[in-house]
Amino acid sequence: MFRVLHLAKPRLGARRLTSMVTGLSAVLLLMACSELGAGTGQISQRIGEITRDPSAQQVDLAKLTSFGWDRVYQFEPGSTRDAICDFIHAGRNVCGRVIRYPAVPADHQALVFALGPQLTHVELHALAHGRLELKQEAGGLPKSRATLRIRRLSLGTAQEQIVLEPQ
């Protein structure tokens, strides 16, 4: 006598499936929008274009972005991948794919944009385009206050340092 075993495919509950899809979507979105693995980001390059214009007095981050966000955070040169991963609540495996540097390079800052509880963009900002001095508030710098004043500081030589700070 032969017994036939019927192996039913495991079913995921609707709640668990939704959670998995949401999590995977968030990871894919962040990976697609992350530029920490690709060098200086496009927003930083656009900031550089503005700050090279001697008549420019401000940079409006909202006008330089095409994705949704309501606050931005910055990480200084030398900030470790682990510190950023802890901040964005990303596990080691996911974070290693999103942030490909062991630490933010000495000539860059990291920018992290968020909309509500979701991250929408991560990129490197070249200090040559202006040092961002965003006060690290618990909730980040709100988009409504992300128009940054350009200060040009003379270094006593033919060079100047550009500082970008909230107005």
Side-chain angles (χ1 to χ4, degrees), residues 39-136:
T40 302
Q42 291 180 348
I43 296 168
S44 177
Q45 292 171 9
R46 293 182 70 197
I47 290 171
E49 292 168 7
I50 294 168
T51 59
R52 280 191 290 278
D53 177 356
S55 65
Q57 296 181 9
Q58 64 184 23
V59 172
D60 186 349
L61 288 180
K63 290 182 179 177
L64 302 181
T65 55
S66 60
F67 51 87
W69 63 282
D70 59 10
R71 64 196 181 290
V72 61
Y73 302 89
Q74 81 178 46
F75 289 88
E76 290 298 318
S79 296
T80 65
R81 175 189 302 146
D82 289 340
I84 298 171
C85 290
D86 287 345
F87 179 79
I88 64 175
H89 305 292
R92 185 176 224 74
N93 290 337
V94 170
C95 199
R97 283 180 260 149
V98 174
I99 301 170
R100 298 182 186 128
Y101 290 94
V104 177
D107 57 347
H108 285 80
Q109 293 172 305
L111 297 178
V112 176
F113 293 85
L115 178 62
Q118 298 292 321
L119 293 176
T120 56
H121 188 77
V122 178
E123 81 169 48
L124 286 176
H125 169 68
L127 292 174
H129 298 161
R131 173 177 272 294
L132 292 163
E133 291 190 355
L134 311 179
K135 295 191 171 109
Q136 284 297 70

